Every structure is written in C-alpha cells, then in structure tokens.
C-alpha cells in the first residue's frame, strides 16, 4: 500500500511534465496548417463590383451587335483592352479590321506541306515541283490594331459540325477550298465522297469525325454562262438575270456558301439579259456594243446575292454567305517567259498601293455585299460578310507558283519559253491566311445571341 502511495504523485508529475513538453510542439504543428489554410483558402471579405468579376471571362459587344468571348485577361494586357469596361463602353468597340496591316516574319511556318496534304492541285504544289526557295512560307499577316490567331483546325471543324460548307466560283474558290482542306486534314482526314465534271470541278469531302461536308462548285460567273471552247465561239456567254443552277439547285442543303469570282470576267464575252444582248467585252467582229466588265461583275454578283436571299432568307432557313474579294495577279512580264513573277518576299506597304483594276473589282464586291446586307435585314437568319483579302494578297508577289506550276521546269536548264502562273497561290502559301480570317468570321457569327432563332 505504501508502494502505491509513493507511485501516484510520481505518475501525476510525469503526466504534467509530458503535457508541458507536448504543448509547444502542438502549437508549432498547427501554426503552419493555419497559415496554409489562410493562404490557399482566404476568408471571403466584402468585394467591390470590380473585384467580384475580375476572374470572369468578359463579353465584348461589338458595334455589329456581335457577342464574342474575349480571351482571359493577361498579366500585362494591351493598352486598348480592359476587362472592366462599362457596358456602354464595350458597346462602342469595333471588330478587328483584318484588311489593314503588314506581312511580318514568322518562324513557325505552315501547318502542312506538299507531302502531308493529298488534296493539293498539282499546279499549286510548289514544293514538290522543285521550287528552291522556302522563305515565302515564313510570313504571317499582322493587322495594325489586333492579332490574327493561327488557324485552329479543331475549332473550325467544331464550328461546321453537322453542316455543309460550299465554295462556289472560279479557280480561286478551288484554291481557297484546297487550302482549307489541307489545314483541316491536320486534325481530321476527310473522305472524298463525290466528284464529277472535267478536272473534278465538282467535288465533295466528308469529315466523319464531325459529320461535316465541304464542297466545291465550278461556276466562274456565278450566273448562268456558256464557256468558250475550242469547238465553239472563242468568247463566253453570260446570262446576267439567272444564277447558275449547277450550284443554286443545292442551296437548300448548304449551311454556308463562300463565293469567289473575278478573273473570268476579264475574258472576251457577250452579255445577255433575258433574250436581249446588253453588249460585250472585247468582241471584235461582232456587231455588239463594248461595255467592259465592271458593270457586268456588279450585275452578276447582285443577281447571285438576291437569289440566295429570296430562296433562303424568306423561308426562315438559316444560311451564311461569304464573298471573298478579288485576288490580284502579279505578272511583271510575259506569262510565258522566265521571271514573270520573280519576287522572293512580300512588298512593304510603301512599295505597293491598291489601285486600278484591283481596287475597282474589290470596291464593286464590297459595295454589293453591303447593299445585300441592307436588303436582307428583314431576315434574321441570313448572315453575309465580305472576306476582304485583296490588299493582303496584293502584298504577296512571292506566293505564286510561277514556273513551278509544272514539275522541275528548269531541270534541263532555263529555256526561252516557260509557262508561269502568277494568279493562283502555292499551297501552303499566303492563301492560308484567307482561311485564318474566315475562321474568325465564323467564330464571330457563332457568338452568343448573334443569330435570332
């Protein structure tokens, strides 16, 4: 019993000593936990309206009533960008003007090349045809007041999911189509599901991954026309009051149509309206009045847009229309002599001005698009835009196939005569920029509340 009486105070003293030693260590252990908790999960204190929305993605409303998600705020945002603008300030913002800018060096280069894309027309496959210089591949278009993002094939495919996009027009429409197919094929390989006509002028590809169709329709005037041939007259016939039904008959099955015309209007032609001859262009030997081609281009485009509006706007069936503006050529000499388009780099802005026929053709197309927009205002589901690429294309004399429209044209030395293509564009090449801008147009269209359902 005495043993027990001696032991109890000893145990109490031991427990007290242990607790006294443990308490500081417990405080030390909890202190970093508390600091950790406050650092990563701070207390919610009252915030100003600016602070409450600082981590949200702002919506910028453009002057065209387009709603588009702006990119997340950067650590050092550009001076013209502020995610905290008042609603009335954001309403005054205008979309990026992609028509004004310059070409700047770009080390990243194209998304594809002549061997990775199987849909390039042989005459535009400059790399495979032995073009020795590659500098023309390493430029990008830099608008003056904004950035033109690099093409995102997955984004474009998502935007055309379950849709049919058709390129309609002359060989420039085909050139733009093949550029788009090459860029999209870096994300999803299309299947050729239809082809018809000489040189496969009517073709359709299907992207199974997105149930999307992309087509090309050969129609160099958009209106009804009879092309010159070796067996017939050496001039074209245009019927300016009727569209070409080879594409127009499919309008009900097209979600977006990209129109591109211009160069074929320079060829000799006789123009009709109904059964009456209006006149002609370069028709010596015919008893018709020479009327040039500017008014004819205007009438053809006006008839085309009017028909699309009537057939698709009035029935409430949504369609998007894009008119790609005139693409200048760059011949500096005879088309069949070496050095017809010899430039190896883009023009500086001070070197080349948009003028003459190039400016006139573009002006007509832009004016007719704007007039059609006014006529279609009553149809909420009809959207129309000019893809204004004339100036940026004018600045790229280095981007054409030239003699490399044929494989290795100088394999046996330089000859006196060699055919040159200074109209179409190498693939890859500057025409890829057209589709970068096209993607931005479609993204703008698909912003929230842009189309009234």
């Amino acid at each position: 019993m005495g043993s027990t009486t001696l032991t109890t105070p000893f145990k109490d003293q031991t427990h007290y000593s242990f607790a006294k030693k443990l308490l500081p260590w417990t405080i030390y252990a909890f202190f970093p936990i508390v600091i950790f908790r406050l650092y990563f999960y701070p207390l919610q204190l009252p915030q100003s309206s600016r602070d409450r929305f600082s981590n949200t993605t702002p919506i910028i409303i453009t002057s065209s009533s387009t709603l588009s998600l702006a990119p997340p705020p950067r650590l050092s945002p550009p001076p013209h960008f502020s995610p905290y603008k008042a609603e009335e300030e954001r309403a005054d913002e205008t979309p990026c003007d992609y028509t004004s800018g310059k070409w700047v060096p770009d080390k990243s280069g194209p998304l594809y090349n002549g061997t990775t894309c199987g849909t390039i027309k042989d005459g535009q496959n400059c790399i495979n045809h032995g073009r020795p210089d590659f500098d023309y591949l390493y430029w990008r278009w830099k608008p003056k007041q904004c950035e033109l993002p690099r093409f995102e094939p997955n984004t474009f495919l998502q935007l055309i999911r379950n849709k049919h996009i058709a390129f309609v027009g002359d060989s420039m429409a085909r050139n733009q189509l093949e550029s788009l197919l090459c860029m999209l094929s870096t994300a999803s390989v299309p299947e050729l599901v239809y082809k018809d006509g000489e040189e496969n002028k009517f073709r359709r590809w299907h992207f199974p991954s997105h149930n999307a169709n992309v087509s090309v329709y050969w129609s160099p005037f958009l209106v009804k026309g009879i092309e010159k041939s070796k067996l017939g007259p050496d001039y074209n016939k245009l019927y300016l009051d009727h569209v070409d039904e080879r594409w127009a008959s499919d309008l009900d099955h097209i979600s977006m149509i990209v129109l591109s015309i211009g160069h074929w209007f320079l060829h000799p032609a006789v123009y009709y309206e109904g059964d009456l001859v209006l006149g002609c262009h370069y028709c010596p030997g015919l008893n018709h009045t020479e009327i040039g081609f500017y008014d004819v281009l205007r009438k053809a485009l006006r008839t085309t847009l009017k028909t699309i509006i009537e057939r698709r706007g009035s029935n409430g069936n949504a369609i998007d229309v894009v008119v790609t503006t005139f693409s200048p050529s760059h011949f500096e000499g005879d088309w069949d002599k070496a050095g017809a388009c010899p430039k190896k780099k883009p023009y500086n802005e001070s070197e080349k001005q948009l003028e003459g026929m190039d400016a006139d053709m573009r002006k007509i197309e832009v004016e007719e698009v704007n007039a059609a927009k006014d006529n279609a205002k009553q149809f909420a589901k009809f959207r129309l835009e000019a893809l204004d690429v004339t100036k940026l294309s004018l600045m790229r004399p280095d981007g054409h196939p030239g003699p490399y429209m044929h494989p290795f044209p100088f394999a046996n030395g330089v000859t006196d005569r060699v055919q040159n293509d200074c109209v179409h564009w190498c693939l890859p090449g500057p025409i890829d920029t057209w589709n970068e801008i096209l993607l931005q147009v479609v993204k703008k269209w698909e912003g929230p509340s842009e189309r009234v359902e």
Side-chain angles (χ1 to χ4, degrees):
M1 191 72 175
S3 163
T4 303
T5 304
L6 291 173
T7 304
T8 300
F10 177 78
K11 286 183 177 179
D12 291 341
Q13 186 177 3
T14 302
H15 290 161
Y16 173 78
S17 176
F18 179 74
K20 186 177 180 180
K21 292 180 179 179
L22 181 62
L23 182 60
W25 289 105
T26 303
I27 294 173
Y28 296 152
F30 273 100
F31 183 73
I33 295 175
V34 172
I35 296 300
F36 180 88
R37 170 62 174 81
L38 291 175
Y39 181 81
F40 286 99
Y41 302 95
L43 295 176
Q44 298 298 315
L45 300 176
Q47 296 173 305
S48 67
S49 60
R50 169 169 170 164
D51 292 333
R52 282 200 300 271
F53 294 100
S54 62
N55 292 323
T56 62
T57 302
I59 295 177
I60 295 178
I61 305 176
T62 68
S63 60
S64 59
S65 299
T66 301
L67 291 173
S68 58
L69 289 177
R74 303 174 183 175
L75 292 178
S76 300
H80 65 276
F81 177 82
S82 173
Y84 310 114
K85 286 186 177 181
E87 200 69 29
E88 61 271 14
E89 292 177 324
R90 293 203 300 266
D92 293 334
E93 294 234 2
T94 55
C96 178
D97 179 9
Y98 296 112
T99 64
S100 180
K102 62 181 179 180
W103 290 95
V104 297
D106 180 20
K107 294 181 180 180
S108 58
L111 289 175
Y112 64 95
N113 59 48
T115 57
T116 60
C117 180
T119 55
I120 300 177
K121 180 178 169 59
D122 201 40
Q124 278 95 61
N125 202 337
C126 304
I127 298 174
N128 282 10
H129 281 188
R131 179 168 172 168
D133 62 306
F134 301 118
D135 289 348
Y136 72 97
L137 298 173
Y138 295 93
W139 298 88
R140 66 178 176 87
W141 180 247
K142 174 66 176 68
K144 287 184 176 179
Q145 297 180 341
C146 55
E147 290 290 335
L148 176 60
R150 190 169 172 82
F151 189 83
E152 303 162 344
N154 284 308
T155 300
F156 197 100
L157 285 167
Q158 185 60 35
L159 290 169
I160 64 170
R161 180 182 292 276
N162 300 322
K163 295 181 180 180
H164 177 198
I165 175 174
F167 287 79
V168 180
D170 56 20
S171 54
M172 300 310 299
R174 183 185 62 211
N175 206 175
Q176 184 180 0
L177 160 96
E178 291 172 349
S179 162
L180 179 64
L181 285 175
C182 285
M183 292 196 287
L184 293 179
S185 66
T186 62
S188 178
V189 179
E191 300 173 356
L192 179 63
V193 294
Y194 176 82
K195 63 179 180 179
D196 189 23
E198 180 187 357
E199 297 183 3
N200 296 326
K201 290 180 176 179
F202 302 85
R203 289 175 290 169
R204 181 170 301 152
W205 290 263
H206 179 67
F207 288 87
S209 60
H210 294 76
N211 190 34
N213 291 314
V214 181
S215 299
V216 61
Y217 293 80
W218 171 258
S219 184
F221 313 110
L222 297 180
V223 294
K224 180 182 176 182
I226 300 176
E227 298 171 28
K228 62 181 180 180
S229 66
K230 294 179 180 179
L231 301 178
D234 59 350
Y235 55 85
N236 302 309
K237 293 182 179 181
L238 277 67
Y239 299 86
L240 300 174
D241 51 348
H242 295 288
V243 294
D244 183 357
E245 291 295 337
R246 291 181 298 178
W247 63 265
S249 61
D250 284 351
L251 262 178
D252 286 342
H253 309 290
I254 295 173
S255 310
M256 180 167 71
I257 186 168
V258 182
L259 307 172
S260 182
I261 55 171
H263 287 278
W264 272 69
F265 286 82
L266 310 182
H267 298 176
V270 176
Y271 310 123
Y272 295 84
E273 205 163 54
D275 296 328
L276 300 176
V277 175
L278 294 180
C280 70
H281 170 59
Y282 195 70
C283 55
L286 298 178
N287 189 23
H288 300 315
T289 303
E290 171 69 42
I291 63 173
F293 55 82
Y294 288 127
D295 285 341
V296 172
L297 172 67
R298 187 182 296 277
K299 283 180 178 289
L301 191 53
R302 185 174 298 175
T303 296
T304 298
L305 297 176
K306 180 175 180 285
T307 300
I308 297 174
I309 293 172
E310 289 175 347
R311 295 191 186 183
R312 288 295 296 271
S314 58
N315 63 11
N317 191 6
I319 188 171
D320 297 327
V321 182
V322 175
V323 177
T324 302
T325 61
F326 187 71
S327 175
S329 62
H330 291 93
F331 287 100
E332 294 188 14
D334 295 336
W335 65 272
D336 59 349
K337 289 186 178 180
C341 40
K343 293 286 192 297
K344 302 300 182 186
K345 64 179 183 179
Y347 285 121
N348 294 322
E349 195 167 6
S350 60
E351 290 182 272
K352 195 71 171 176
Q353 300 299 317
L354 180 58
E355 57 190 2
M357 185 194 71
D358 297 333
D360 292 337
M361 299 286 271
R362 173 203 168 271
K363 181 173 181 287
I364 290 170
E365 292 167 335
V366 171
E367 287 176 348
E368 288 306 308
V369 167
N370 290 334
K373 280 183 179 180
D374 290 337
N375 295 335
K377 281 183 177 178
Q378 58 184 310
F379 306 120
K381 296 185 178 182
F382 185 89
R383 301 188 295 202
L384 175 62
E385 195 69 61
L387 189 68
D388 193 350
V389 299
T390 305
K391 178 65 181 294
L392 67 88
S393 301
L394 177 70
M395 310 299 284
R396 290 305 304 271
D398 57 324
H400 301 289
Y404 297 98
M405 62 181 295
H406 299 296
F408 303 97
F410 305 120
N412 298 319
V414 178
T415 58
D416 290 337
R417 298 288 176 181
V418 57
Q419 188 177 3
N420 287 268
D421 182 356
C422 303
V423 176
H424 302 97
W425 301 95
C426 291
L427 294 177
I431 197 171
D432 295 332
T433 300
W434 299 11
N435 290 315
E436 288 179 336
I437 300 174
L438 178 62
L439 172 56
Q440 298 309 307
V441 170
V442 178
K443 285 171 69 175
K444 181 194 77 170
W445 276 343
E446 295 304 325
S449 303
E450 172 64 16
R451 172 175 274 152
V452 179
E453 298 296 342

